[in-house]
Amino acid sequence: MTTRYLMRLGKTPFDVVDPFLTLERNLLGTNSGNLVYGAAAHKLFSTADTVVDANRYRINAGMAAQVNDEYDGFILPLANAFRPEFEGQLLRTAQFLERLTIPFLLLSCGAQLPLDGDPTALKAMEPTVKRFARAVLNGSSALSVRGEMTADYLASLGFRDVVVVGCPSLALHGPGHRVEVPQALRPGAPIAYNLETKDPFGGDLVEDAEARYRATYIPQEHGTLELMLWASEPYAATDPRLPLERTHPQFTAARAELFIDAYPWIDRLSGMDFSFGARAHGNIAAVLAGTPAVMLAHDSRTLELARYHGIPSLVRGTDPEPGTVQELYAHADFTEFNRGHAERFEALSRFVHDNGFTHIYDAGQEAALADYEQRVASTDFQPAVRPTWLADPPATVQRHAVLQDREVRRKKEQAELRRTASARAAKNDDRLSEMGRRLDAAEKGLAAARPRIEAAERRAAAAEERALAAERRLATAERTLTKVARQAGDAFHRAERAVRIPTRFRDAVSRGRRER
């Protein structure tokens, strides 16, 4: 019998979609890093006779009944879910989980905090986070999180049933994965780098990478995918050394590569000698490829993942930032990663088992694992996306960019309307649920009170019967009283007549005497 799981994914690893539709349908969830942990989660639960479907990022309370009917379990891989811009989605997810009757599993989540862990920015969304956490704990043994900073945040809200499992992406190759680091990075070697486009930094390192190595920029965000497909300008660049504008050599020379499938991305990084940058999964993809990487940690997301998994990292603003790639490469020490990877995998495995699920690296799943990896090898994935507009005339490029900018603005306006409508719908759903709970409570109260009501009704009926009997007796008494009164009246009249007879006799005698 086939087991069917639904998983929160934009697409499964085997859904091959072209770049334009990927952008249009937001199959990356705005960031291709989602592909990496999505691929690992999909593989992990693809055990023998199991089918794992993607929910396409659609989730709301109204879906729960159908999911309960059609699936045997729900898997929820999340990244930095505790952040203000994700609150609407988190609320809908909580409402959905509250209505699930099938087993479900939260496969790690994280809080987006500054490096010092200060949760002030999340204060306004605490009710939503608490509701989500309670919904998870109602069906799971614990809240699984990416690192200690998220665990500390949840503890500050009163939640103690928390287990740190890191990011499921590092489970892609099972417990035996290692990264070997060559002693030296030779000049001119192929290397990759990535950027945090919302807060770009590392200009000196990028400049050195471009000058001394065969450097490839591997972006991850929708904005850069849009730039590469439509020549738009989504970023306000302040450092010309960083690849944020279409005039950068990474784009004009078609060296930048953006991947819309996880496995080609990892395979490409296996041919690199080194990777660095501020993107967590850009560097994790390199680690999965067996390529040394150093993470430039700039917030709690990157820092707690690097710390937990033993991925080499430098903390922005705390550690001195190297000015050259060679200096950065000296920090690529994977001793801790290699030492503790199997132990960390076991922690994730134990959490999965504690909640009644099995995974593809369990004993007895060897055939399922081989079949899955063969399926990956035989899938014809999309190639890396490169700029599509290099051969077009400048006027055409500019026209496409202007039209795309307009389209993006329209989509943002529509997205804001959808978010507003969704928030209202979620609140209305909560109100309806609350009304339903109150109605249920009222019905339960009525059911509990029914015996007392019925007893009162019986007492009232008996009292009414007694009252009717009393009325009948009263009517009888009134009739008797009327008869007695009539008889008394008759007797009175007879008495009056009896009194009047002697008087008339006396009068007659007196008249007779006078007449004599």
Side-chain angles (χ1 to χ4, degrees), residues 305-317:
L305 277 179
R307 284 177 173 172
Y308 179 75
H309 288 287
I311 297 172
S313 65
L314 294 178
V315 181
R316 184 186 185 191

Side-chain angles (χ1 to χ4, degrees), residues 239-352:
D239 188 342
R241 298 174 297 177
L242 302 178
L244 296 171
E245 297 179 301
R246 66 172 183 254
T247 55
H248 193 278
Q250 281 287 335
F251 300 121
T252 58
R255 288 190 281 126
E257 302 176 24
L258 190 152
F259 292 87
I260 57 175
D261 294 295
Y263 288 103
W265 183 4
I266 296 169
D267 184 62
R268 177 71 173 99
L269 284 167
S270 68
M272 299 289 185
D273 288 359
F274 183 51
S275 175
F276 71 90
R279 304 299 316 196
H281 284 91
N283 297 300
I284 287 174
V287 172
L288 292 171
T291 297
V294 175
M295 195 177 300
L296 304 179
H298 60 96
D299 61 7
S300 67
R301 299 173 300 161
T302 47
L303 181 58
E304 69 177 357
L305 277 179
R307 284 177 173 172
Y308 179 75
H309 288 287
I311 297 172
S313 65
L314 294 178
V315 181
R316 184 186 185 191
T318 300
D319 297 324
E321 184 177 313
T324 68
V325 174
Q326 283 288 350
E327 292 174 18
L328 186 62
Y329 186 79
H331 293 273
D333 182 356
F334 275 79
T335 303
E336 173 55 28
F337 176 87
N338 293 335
R339 183 207 63 77
H341 178 67
E343 179 183 331
R344 288 182 285 268
F345 181 90
E346 178 56 29
L348 177 62
S349 175
R350 187 166 51 250
F351 174 73
V352 170

Side-chain angles (χ1 to χ4, degrees), residues 448-471:
R450 189 170 300 282
R452 295 194 298 273
I453 294 172
E454 291 175 350
E457 289 176 345
R458 288 193 295 271
R459 289 195 297 272
E464 186 176 358
E465 184 61 33
R466 290 195 298 272
L468 289 173
E471 287 179 355

Side-chain angles (χ1 to χ4, degrees), residues 199-441:
D199 181 20
F201 64 95
D204 290 343
L205 286 170
V206 170
E207 184 177 35
D208 186 65
E210 295 284 355
R212 300 177 185 275
Y213 302 90
R214 284 189 289 127
T216 300
Y217 173 47
I218 301 185
Q220 296 178 211
E221 295 175 343
H222 255 202
T224 311
L225 178 58
E226 178 192 308
L227 182 157
M228 297 172 84
L229 295 178
W230 295 106
S232 59
E233 297 282 7
Y235 308 116
T238 57
D239 188 342
R241 298 174 297 177
L242 302 178
L244 296 171
E245 297 179 301
R246 66 172 183 254
T247 55
H248 193 278
Q250 281 287 335
F251 300 121
T252 58
R255 288 190 281 126
E257 302 176 24
L258 190 152
F259 292 87
I260 57 175
D261 294 295
Y263 288 103
W265 183 4
I266 296 169
D267 184 62
R268 177 71 173 99
L269 284 167
S270 68
M272 299 289 185
D273 288 359
F274 183 51
S275 175
F276 71 90
R279 304 299 316 196
H281 284 91
N283 297 300
I284 287 174
V287 172
L288 292 171
T291 297
V294 175
M295 195 177 300
L296 304 179
H298 60 96
D299 61 7
S300 67
R301 299 173 300 161
T302 47
L303 181 58
E304 69 177 357
L305 277 179
R307 284 177 173 172
Y308 179 75
H309 288 287
I311 297 172
S313 65
L314 294 178
V315 181
R316 184 186 185 191
T318 300
D319 297 324
E321 184 177 313
T324 68
V325 174
Q326 283 288 350
E327 292 174 18
L328 186 62
Y329 186 79
H331 293 273
D333 182 356
F334 275 79
T335 303
E336 173 55 28
F337 176 87
N338 293 335
R339 183 207 63 77
H341 178 67
E343 179 183 331
R344 288 182 285 268
F345 181 90
E346 178 56 29
L348 177 62
S349 175
R350 187 166 51 250
F351 174 73
V352 170
H353 293 157
D354 286 347
N355 286 277
F357 290 85
T358 57
H359 61 75
I360 204 166
Y361 288 101
D362 282 334
Q365 297 292 336
E366 293 80 8
L369 177 59
D371 289 346
Y372 194 94
E373 292 181 344
Q374 176 57 40
R375 187 180 178 192
V376 171
S378 61
T379 300
D380 187 15
F381 293 107
Q382 286 282 322
V385 179
R386 298 175 185 272
T388 62
W389 35 263
L390 293 176
D392 292 339
T396 302
V397 172
Q398 184 62 25
R399 181 165 61 252
H400 287 170
V402 169
L403 292 174
Q404 181 63 14
D405 284 339
R406 291 178 181 174
E407 176 68 4
V408 168
R409 285 196 298 273
R410 182 187 66 81
K411 286 183 178 179
K412 286 181 178 178
E413 291 171 357
Q414 289 181 337
E416 182 58 33
L417 289 173
R418 285 195 297 270
R419 280 192 294 270
T420 302
S422 179
R424 289 175 179 171
K427 289 181 179 178
N428 287 338
D429 188 66
D430 275 350
R431 292 193 188 102
L432 290 173
S433 297
E434 179 61 25
M435 290 175 65
R437 285 191 291 270
R438 290 181 180 177
L439 180 59
D440 289 342

